[in-house]
Amino acid sequence: MSTFPHFATDATHAGQSPDKWNSMSVIPPISLSTTFKQHGPGDHNGYEYTRGGNPTRQVFQECVASLEGAKHALAYSSGLAATTAIIHLLKSGDHIVSVNDVYG
């Protein structure tokens, strides 16, 4: 949840504590890595492969969650990925209500 009193302050600072990374940089580093070192199969320090998450996306998701007053937020690289995630929440017999000019 929000730790700052104003929207603009949250938008600038939420999710960006320098204590989160070893460099202690004030501005979050942009992670360009696609693969992260693992101690063994499935034994990692929070990130395996960039599709599953990376430090840059984590900062973004925490910031969006704070701005929305939520505990968590998810960011996807495409509309199809977001749609797939939502569809996987549905059970047999559930319905989707939509407009008639949806793209895709």
Side-chain angles (χ1 to χ4, degrees):
M1 301 292 180
S2 177
T3 56
F4 302 105
H6 302 290
F7 180 87
T9 307
D10 269 339
T12 304
H13 297 290
Q16 301 183 30
S17 171
D19 298 331
K20 294 172 112 177
W21 31 86
N22 295 333
S23 68
M24 301 296 284
S25 59
V26 176
I27 303 300
I30 296 174
S31 176
L32 301 176
S33 180
T34 59
T35 309
F36 298 87
K37 180 180 178 181
Q38 297 185 40
H39 309 290
D43 181 15
H44 53 81
N45 290 330
Y47 307 105
E48 307 171 79
Y49 188 67
T50 200
R51 284 187 202 152
N54 66 42
T56 305
R57 189 181 327 157
Q58 184 66 34
V59 168
F60 173 68
Q61 291 176 154
E62 288 176 19
C63 185
V64 170
S66 176
L67 294 174
E68 293 294 330
K71 264 188 177 178
H72 306 284
L74 295 174
Y76 296 94
S77 61
S78 71
L80 181 58
T83 301
T84 300
I86 291 169
I87 296 297
H88 279 93
L89 295 173
L90 301 175
K91 300 181 301 283
S92 178
D94 286 349
H95 298 275
I96 298 175
V97 178
S98 181
V99 295
N100 65 353
D101 62 347
V102 171
Y103 179 78

